[in-house]
Amino acid sequence: MTERPDAPTDGPVADGSAPDGATAGRIAPADGPAVGRAAHDAAGSHAPGAATPAPPEAAERQDWDPLASLRAPSDPPLDVLLSGTVFFDIVFTGMDRLPQPGEELWSKGMGSSPGGIANLATAAARLGLRTGLVAGFGDDAYGDWMWQTLAEEEGIDLSASRRFDDFHSALTVSIAAHGDRAMATHGHDLPEPLSAMIARAPAARAAVVDLAGETSWWAELARGGALIFADIGFDATGRWDPADLAPLAHCHAFTPNALEATAYTRTDSPGRAVRALAEMVPLAVVTDGVDGAYAIDASTGEEAFCPAVPVHAIDTTGAGDVFAAGMVLGTLAEWPLEQRLRFASLCSALAVQQFGGSLAAPGWGDITDWWRHLSDASADGDLRAAYTRGGYEFLDGIVPDHPVLGRRRAQGTFALRSDAGRH
């Protein structure tokens, strides 16, 4: 589900993103790779916990809830529930190559952000989903900052998460160079299993889970009416045992990438793989990077393929998480299957053009900017923009037509401003 930076990229990407800094009258972005309503201001660095003054136009903005018209008083308090490990990610960028053993190289840029399951939690919250996260946090300074960033900056419900005494945060250092990355990670098992904390979590309409994680609580959640969206990671053993997919019996959806899907189904193409998976879950989705995404929704009888137009991807960390968040939103919003695929692909495309994993996830300001920039280019006679716009005309009825209070990509670097996005 929530991949570490070395996992295969899950999401297709689309073309036509707005140029850096374009706002279309929406939330003013900060330079840098990540997000946050209280991102660091242009004057300089902020210590953890420091407040950022609201932009002058903030009072004129309105809350934005893409599911508002479908909500009912009887709905659960959360739209989506997530669980997993939160990592403190440090990313070095702007390097000509990866260092050799015993060698020290200087990077031109550096940024940090919450990673791991935080990638998916942030992506979901940015899209307006009421998101709950069950995770264990250390009592170190990194844990303080990540808790504040996720709870206060991103509005994620951490009521079922725990801080553990004398326990330090899991940490990953990632070096990005020429489309490749090298990682070093350190962490420990939590003092308490996540399943014990999940029992205390608020009810949710959906949950996104990892087939390789704890599965004992899925059945009860499904019986309560939650739609379970499952994913699975790369099988380093090479066995690709179909028995690993047994927990799909409790799931509404399964969203593996093409490599995983074909390996588990013993098929030779993502198209054949999605048909095999459609026998196991109501909603089967297979993503194939820049080659698009395939899906079959047995609950509606729809089948769809979504092509993807490549973009210049500078950091694919969390692309699959952003795609999954878009699919959850589209499903809860009851959009047609092709629209769900295109929307999820767009969100993934916007994310991979930024550094920073979780904090590169787009908000509605970013999505609106992309749509308006693409529409303007199409109106000016840009044939490629017109072709791309034709597949996304449904956004006219979705994107807000007023300034919103959503979060947008900006830096979330611990203590100091990030310069990762400049290199």
Side-chain angles (χ1 to χ4, degrees):
M1 180 201 57
T2 301
E3 77 265 21
R4 300 303 303 135
D6 54 343
T9 302
D10 288 41
V13 294
D15 192 19
S17 59
D20 291 344
T23 64
R26 294 308 191 254
I27 302 172
D31 54 352
V35 192
R37 184 164 31 186
H40 304 284
D41 62 20
S45 64
H46 271 43
T52 300
E57 72 274 20
E60 300 176 2
R61 299 185 186 135
Q62 304 173 37
D63 289 319
W64 175 245
D65 181 359
L67 298 177
S69 63
L70 299 175
R71 296 198 184 279
S74 58
D75 285 345
L78 297 178
D79 293 321
V80 61
L81 179 66
L82 313 169
S83 67
T85 302
V86 175
F87 294 79
F88 182 78
D89 284 355
I90 301 175
V91 181
F92 292 99
T93 63
M95 300 182 68
D96 295 331
R97 58 182 175 84
L98 300 178
Q100 299 298 314
E103 182 181 26
E104 178 183 16
L105 298 178
W106 283 72
S107 71
K108 297 177 182 177
M110 187 277 290
S112 54
S113 66
I117 188 60
N119 292 338
L120 180 53
T122 302
R126 294 263 172 88
L127 293 181
L129 292 171
R130 297 173 181 174
T131 304
L133 173 60
V134 182
F137 290 78
D139 61 351
D140 52 8
Y142 295 149
D144 290 343
W145 180 78
M146 291 192 294
W147 185 286
Q148 175 191 321
T149 298
L150 296 173
E152 299 180 18
E153 303 297 325
E154 304 299 336
I156 296 167
D157 186 321
L158 299 180
S159 60
S161 292
R162 278 200 58 185
R163 303 291 302 274
F164 292 102
D165 294 336
D166 300 318
F167 185 79
H168 72 76
S169 302
L171 185 144
T172 291
V173 175
S174 174
I175 300 174
H178 293 296
D180 201 358
R181 287 164 294 174
M183 278 73 58
T185 296
H186 176 73
H188 300 280
D189 291 338
L190 294 176
E192 178 183 354
L194 285 175
S195 56
M197 292 185 270
I198 289 168
R200 302 190 292 266
R205 299 172 63 188
V208 183
V209 299
D210 186 352
L211 282 176
E214 298 180 39
T215 63
S216 59
W217 51 276
W218 295 11
E220 183 176 353
L221 201 64
R223 283 194 295 269
L227 300 177
I228 310 297
F229 289 71
D231 204 346
I232 195 165
F234 182 81
D235 185 356
T237 70
R239 291 192 298 267
W240 303 102
D241 187 352
D244 294 342
L245 306 184
L248 290 178
H250 305 297
C251 297
H252 174 76
F254 185 35
T255 60
N257 65 30
L259 186 156
E260 298 153 358
T262 54
Y264 276 114
T265 60
R266 309 302 195 258
T267 55
D268 59 3
S269 71
R272 290 187 176 92
V274 76
R275 293 198 178 278
L277 295 175
E279 300 294 323
M280 304 179 194
V281 287
L283 175 59
V285 181
V286 175
T287 59
D288 196 16
V290 297
D291 290 324
Y294 304 74
I296 297 176
D297 190 337
S299 64
T300 64
E302 296 171 282
E303 299 182 0
F305 168 76
C306 169
V309 181
V311 296
H312 177 59
I314 63 173
D315 187 355
T316 60
T317 304
D321 296 311
V322 176
F323 184 91
M327 285 300 297
V328 172
L329 173 60
T331 300
L332 294 181
E334 302 175 359
W335 297 342
L337 183 59
E338 183 179 347
Q339 292 183 11
R340 282 180 268 169
L341 285 181
R342 287 188 179 275
F343 181 79
S345 299
L346 170 60
C347 293
S348 183
L350 294 178
V352 301
Q353 295 177 84
Q354 302 285 332
F355 286 104
S358 67
L359 298 181
W364 280 102
D366 300 297
I367 296 167
T368 301
D369 286 351
W370 178 88
W371 178 238
R372 292 190 171 185
H373 171 74
L374 184 70
S375 297
D376 289 345
S378 176
D380 287 342
D382 186 324
L383 295 180
R384 185 175 182 179
Y387 173 81
T388 303
R389 189 185 189 282
Y392 286 89
E393 289 182 346
F394 66 92
L395 287 178
D396 263 337
I398 295 174
V399 297
D401 57 3
H402 56 267
V404 297
L405 283 172
R407 286 158 294 282
R408 157 193 297 279
R409 294 171 294 185
Q411 55 264 37
T413 293
F414 183 80
L416 298 174
R417 290 177 58 84
S418 167
D419 54 6
R422 301 176 190 173
H423 306 284

